[in-house]
């Protein structure tokens, strides 16, 4: 069965500093990987996704993530954090693209941004 | 930009009562999902729905739960007899089809008292 681990429950960074949120997955085949962001009172918004090809994927809001098969990781990065990035971030893994198989989510990492 | 909408945003109900959570998926989408997030915990899959029938469900989705697409636009989740542990944020999502991302609604916070 698939599983997703986000080892950091809460991270605090200074505005303008770089950010890396960790995500490790457990799945036998090549997974489909996603990062979602949930701002307070909002739904889940897709930041980026990895299906195949280039292992470094670019997303919205200046985020990027790198798929590393050898480490079973899909860490999210941003070179310079803005105060508006404060939110909950969820990593998710999908088994296939049929649309029938649900996403499995990690527990989330809450990002706080300080001045 | 099209979006998934959910109503109500917050619902409080007494234990044992029936609740219906409503969702309007994006109009040309074919796959529909319900997820829930208990406070402080991860987002959990409940059920997926395609071609007017359940395609997959989790062990959370027991006989107390049901889904329906009554009129071709709404997608509802019914909890027949709510329990305290049903208190959670419930997210509806939809996707256009194979190989496409799921779009999530803003969620309905259900509080069972």
């Amino acid at each position: 069965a698939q599983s997703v681990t986000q080892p950091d429950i809460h991270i605090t960074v200074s505005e303008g500093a770089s950010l890396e949120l960790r995500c490790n997955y457990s799945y036998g085949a090549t997974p489909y990987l996603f990062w979602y962001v949930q701002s307070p009172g909002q739904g889940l918004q897709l930041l980026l996704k990895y299906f195949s090809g280039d292992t470094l994927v670019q997303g919205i809001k200046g985020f990027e993530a790198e798929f590393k098969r050898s480490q079973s990781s899909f860490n999210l990065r941003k070179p310079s954090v803005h105060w508006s990035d404060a939110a909950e971030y969820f990593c998710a893994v999908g088994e296939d693209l049929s649309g029938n198989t649900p996403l499995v989510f990690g527990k989330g990492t809450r990002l706080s941004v300080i001045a | 930009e099209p979006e998934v909408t959910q109503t109500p945003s917050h619902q409080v109900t007494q234990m044992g009562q029936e609740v219906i959570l409503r969702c309007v998926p994006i109009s040309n989408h074919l796959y529909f999902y319900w997820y829930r997030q208990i406070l402080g915990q991860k987002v959990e899959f409940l059920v997926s729905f395609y071609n007017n029938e359940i395609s997959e469900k989790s062990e959370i989705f027991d006989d107390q739960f049901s889904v329906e697409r009554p009129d071709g636009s709404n997608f509802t989740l019914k909890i027949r007899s709510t329990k305290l542990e049903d208190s959670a944020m419930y997210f509806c999502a939809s996707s256009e089809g194979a190989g496409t991302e799921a779009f999530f609604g803003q969620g309905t916070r259900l509080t069972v008292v």
Side-chain angles (χ1 to χ4, degrees):
Chain A
Q2 307 160 67
S3 67
V4 177
T5 302
Q6 292 181 248
D8 304 305
I9 297 173
H10 185 199
I11 285 182
T12 300
V13 300
S14 299
E15 191 169 16
S18 64
L19 170 71
E20 182 169 32
L21 302 183
R22 295 182 292 165
C23 172
N24 294 95
Y25 65 89
S26 172
Y27 181 60
T30 299
Y32 301 98
L33 296 159
F34 307 80
W35 274 99
Y36 282 86
V37 60
Q38 183 184 22
S39 298
Q42 302 296 311
L44 296 162
Q45 181 184 22
L46 182 69
L47 283 176
L48 47 78
K49 59 190 177 188
Y50 171 77
F51 286 167
S52 64
D54 193 348
T55 56
L56 183 64
V57 293
Q58 303 296 321
I60 62 171
K61 305 184 181 186
F63 285 91
E64 66 178 26
E66 186 171 12
F67 170 56
K68 292 185 177 180
R69 184 189 302 275
S70 61
Q71 298 176 19
S72 297
S73 69
F74 188 57
N75 294 348
L76 181 71
R77 301 195 294 249
K78 186 169 184 177
S80 178
V81 168
H82 188 261
W83 65 266
S84 61
D85 293 324
E88 188 94 17
Y89 291 80
F90 293 93
C91 182
V93 60
E95 185 173 310
D96 61 37
L97 301 179
S98 70
N100 280 332
T101 306
L103 296 178
V104 174
F105 284 82
K107 289 190 175 183
T109 297
R110 185 158 60 92
L111 174 66
S112 297
V113 181
I114 58 176
Chain B
E1 185 176 329
E3 59 181 13
V4 176
T5 56
Q6 291 184 242
T7 55
S9 57
H10 189 193
Q11 180 151 1
V12 181
T13 189
Q14 287 195 324
M15 190 170 55
Q17 294 295 304
E18 174 185 285
V19 294
I20 297 176
L21 309 183
R22 302 180 191 280
C23 169
V24 179
I26 295 173
S27 62
N28 64 332
H29 284 188
L30 302 176
Y31 295 84
F32 314 109
Y33 314 85
W34 282 102
Y35 287 79
R36 79 171 185 190
Q37 183 184 25
I38 295 173
L39 186 64
Q41 299 187 25
K42 63 182 178 181
V43 179
E44 300 173 293
F45 168 74
L46 291 178
V47 65
S48 60
F49 191 87
Y50 170 70
N51 200 26
N52 285 319
E53 61 183 22
I54 291 174
S55 50
E56 188 162 347
K57 60 183 181 180
S58 72
E59 57 190 29
I60 301 170
F61 193 88
D62 61 22
D63 292 343
Q64 294 295 318
F65 292 88
S66 62
V67 290
E68 196 177 29
R69 191 158 159 79
D71 55 13
S73 62
N74 289 285
F75 179 52
T76 61
L77 174 69
K78 182 191 290 186
I79 308 175
R80 189 152 48 94
S81 178
T82 50
K83 303 186 284 286
L84 294 177
E85 53 264 39
D86 294 327
S87 296
M89 181 75 89
Y90 287 81
F91 291 104
C92 173
S94 68
S95 64
E96 188 174 356
T100 61
E101 68 183 83
F103 290 80
F104 284 79
Q106 292 181 312
T108 293
R109 180 169 296 285
L110 176 65
T111 302
V112 182
V113 297

